[in-house]
Amino acid sequence: MSGTPRRPAEADPPRPNAAPDTAEAASRPVLTTFPPGFLWGAATSAYQIEGSLHADGRGRSVWETFTARPGAVEGGGDGSRACDSYRQWSRDVDLIAQLGLTAYRFSVSWARILPTGQGRVERRGLDHYERFVDALLDRGVTPVLTLNHWDMPEALMADGGWAGRSSVDAFTEFAVAVADRLGDRVGWWITQNEPWIIALLGYQLGLHAPGVRDLRASVAAGHHVLLGHGAGADAIHERVPGAKVGCALSLFPCDPATDDPRDRAAAWGSDGYVNRWYLDPLLGAGYPADMWQHYERALGGGLDDIIRPGDAALIGGRSDFLGVNYYTRRVMAAAETGPDRPFPWRVVGPSGDTVRTDEGWEVVPDSLRDLLLRLHRDYPGVPLMITENGGVYGDAPTHDGRVHDQRRIAFLLGHLRAVAEAIDAGADVVGYLHWSLLDNFEWALGYRPRFGLVHVDYASGRLTVKDSGHVYARIAATGQLPAAGPAVAPFG
Ligand code: FCB
């Protein structure tokens, strides 16, 4: 990938335009019917789509400060306009309804509700989301509400942001304010989006807001995000009887590059760092001992000042479901530690030919199926929701005014088939939310990567449902995957 390193999973340079095996996928004789009530949706987040950063008393978030740093964002963009969704929220609702989606995941901008981080609640912010949720419900769309999708109020940086323990109380205030207002109409709640990515990119590598580079701070940040999940979940459960509360994790299956036991140990170590460090405490098993030791070794000291006795009990046992954000896998090899490598492993990426998105991420639907089955086996009884899955494909409208994003269609069908296989094999998967409804502001990568089912022409504001959006609409309407080649006729 170019410029800014974005994901540790992307060690290899991209191989543009590798053709996915659409023909092979489409020729399999499968007509998979999903369970009734399965949620078919798409996902977005506030900072990535809303714009209107000063409207209705919104406070400053850490992303405004970060995007103002020269070189922080590819192309120098920021979220000041994005998809203009704060003003054009009813356009978005129409689009969601037109696509026939039965669920929509969005986030509530923290800085719109608590502009100074703590204390005063901004009613106009809550009014906006209330209107929005009511409009979704009117159209029969189930809201899936995320609280923290990374846009923490800047004022909370006075105590180090997530690296400071006071962030837990601040986040709880946010959860209380939103649950008090929307608890009577929202059933699905996601407390935190991707604790590992917050810790890694926000506090270890400094590639996302708030741009901190400090391993100890990143351990603290990850821990406080999890404590925030626990306290936030309690606050929601107290106020919203029957609420389903979960945390969305970015899960990257870790495979060894070879059968060498050292590479296998590297893959397991990396799994501890990326996946188990968050899964285990959330789902009641406490922090994994092997990764605890890796952190102690890397930091040259204990973690007891960060992770206090009794903390595990404040995190586990509060998840009614687990949000799974899945994009790709990591292929790992053993490596020497060093100044830029705190742990004895590195991402080497797959060898040989492989299908990749335009961003260079390997496309591996089977890893999603195996991940879902692993979660089902290792953390039994926890329903799973795919809260993000998608890929970067740069297709734009052609002469006929349509966006023929065949590779996104292949990506979508491949991953939905993987979900269907996991369900067939016993996994309790309750929904699939594609990332993303719209092309949007992709954090440090700016507006270049396009993840949307709907194309956004940022200059004119024009939206065009891509062929993938039409295919997805058909699937959502029927609950079935096409048996043969994708149907791309426009809906309606
Ligand atoms: C995830 C984020 C989401 C988007 C996708 C591509 O890590 O949760 O906001 O950036 O990646």
Side-chain angles (χ1 to χ4, degrees):
M1 61 182 295
S2 69
T4 326
R6 166 80 164 91
R7 292 282 192 271
E10 300 143 20
D12 291 357
R15 224 168 307 171
N17 303 323
D21 201 348
T22 328
E24 193 273 334
S27 69
R28 271 187 252 158
V30 203
L31 180 78
T32 310
T33 305
F34 280 76
F38 189 83
L39 295 175
W40 294 103
T44 59
S45 87
Y47 190 81
Q48 293 179 275
I49 64 165
E50 284 184 350
S52 301
L53 300 181
H54 303 290
D56 293 343
R58 181 186 182 280
R60 187 180 175 87
S61 88
V62 291
W63 270 90
E64 282 92 281
T65 306
F66 187 71
T67 53
R69 282 192 192 178
V73 176
E74 208 183 300
D78 62 28
S80 52
R81 184 170 163 86
C83 308
D84 201 21
S85 288
Y86 189 75
R87 293 193 308 157
Q88 304 205 52
W89 57 271
S90 59
R91 170 206 67 186
D92 288 2
V93 174
D94 287 346
L95 189 61
I96 293 160
Q98 195 190 1
L99 287 168
L101 303 184
T102 59
Y104 181 60
R105 177 182 176 212
F106 64 99
S107 80
V108 173
S109 159
W110 190 347
R112 291 195 194 280
I113 309 304
L114 285 137
T116 54
Q118 282 185 290
R120 189 176 61 79
V121 171
E122 175 52 77
R123 308 225 150 266
R124 288 173 291 174
L126 288 170
D127 293 344
H128 168 80
Y129 294 105
E130 188 177 77
R131 276 192 297 271
F132 183 69
V133 164
D134 284 349
L136 289 176
L137 293 171
D138 279 349
R139 311 297 278 269
V141 179
T142 300
V144 179
L145 185 154
T146 307
L147 287 169
N148 171 36
H149 204 124
W150 305 354
D151 49 357
M152 174 182 253
E154 172 70 23
L156 297 175
M157 287 311 292
D159 192 30
W162 283 113
R165 196 160 168 122
S166 63
S167 57
V168 179
D169 287 343
F171 176 73
T172 310
E173 272 190 57
F174 175 38
V176 165
V178 180
D180 277 344
R181 177 65 86 91
L182 298 178
D184 59 350
R185 53 201 94 186
V186 172
W188 292 92
W189 297 76
I190 295 172
T191 51
Q192 308 278 15
N193 183 65
E194 302 191 341
W196 177 58
I197 297 291
I198 296 173
L200 172 75
L201 297 184
Y203 291 83
Q204 182 184 335
L205 300 179
L207 296 170
H208 277 187
V212 175
R213 297 179 53 122
D214 178 343
L215 186 61
R216 179 166 280 277
S218 84
V219 176
H223 182 56
H224 298 144
V225 168
L226 291 182
L227 283 174
H229 161 79
D234 285 349
I236 299 164
H237 280 136
E238 272 164 29
R239 288 166 175 76
V240 188
K244 305 235 182 272
V245 187
C247 181
L249 297 184
S250 52
L251 296 172
F252 291 83
C254 298
D255 295 328
T258 72
D259 256 353
D260 187 316
R262 284 168 303 181
D263 287 348
R264 276 191 273 145
W268 181 244
S270 161
D271 183 67
Y273 174 52
V274 174
N275 303 321
R276 286 179 290 118
W277 189 254
Y278 302 93
L279 282 168
D280 284 4
L282 271 178
L283 302 177
Y287 283 105
D290 62 321
M291 191 58 215
W292 188 289
Q293 283 166 9
H294 279 300
Y295 272 127
E296 287 193 331
R297 226 172 284 128
L299 293 167
L303 303 180
D304 294 337
D305 57 326
I306 300 172
I307 303 173
R308 300 182 190 159
D311 279 359
L314 302 174
I315 298 170
R318 292 163 169 78
S319 295
D320 305 298
F321 72 101
L322 176 72
V324 175
N325 292 1
Y326 170 79
Y327 288 91
T328 188
R329 64 173 180 154
R330 286 156 62 96
V331 179
M332 308 302 303
E336 295 294 325
T337 57
D340 286 328
R341 183 172 294 126
F343 309 115
W345 53 75
R346 71 192 168 98
V347 178
V348 292
S351 60
D353 254 355
T354 182
V355 178
R356 292 170 188 267
T357 69
D358 282 351
E359 205 58 24
W361 303 5
E362 188 192 8
V363 177
V364 216
D366 285 354
S367 284
L368 173 59
R369 179 200 57 217
D370 296 349
L371 170 66
L372 294 170
L373 289 173
R374 169 203 175 171
L375 295 170
H376 174 63
R377 184 194 64 217
D378 290 355
Y379 308 95
V382 184
L384 307 170
M385 185 190 288
I386 313 294
T387 38
E388 288 183 26
N389 172 242
V392 173
Y393 297 101
D395 309 278
T398 51
H399 61 282
D400 59 0
R402 295 184 40 192
V403 182
H404 302 295
D405 56 341
Q406 292 297 311
R407 294 172 304 152
R408 189 185 316 281
I409 293 171
F411 183 103
L412 181 66
L413 294 180
H415 286 81
L416 287 176
R417 245 179 220 112
V419 175
E421 285 167 10
I423 294 174
D424 278 348
D428 181 11
V429 186
V430 298
Y432 174 89
L433 310 180
H434 192 78
W435 185 272
S436 179
L437 177 70
L438 302 163
D439 293 336
N440 60 46
F441 178 70
E442 181 46 34
W443 309 113
L445 299 179
Y447 289 96
R448 179 181 48 75
R450 290 181 178 270
F451 275 99
L453 295 165
V454 177
H455 182 272
V456 179
D457 181 323
Y458 295 109
S460 68
R462 192 173 45 248
L463 304 187
T464 308
V465 177
K466 301 179 189 177
D467 285 355
S468 58
H470 295 297
V471 168
Y472 191 46
R474 179 78 49 94
I475 294 169
T478 59
Q480 294 187 336
L481 299 185
V488 292
F491 57 81

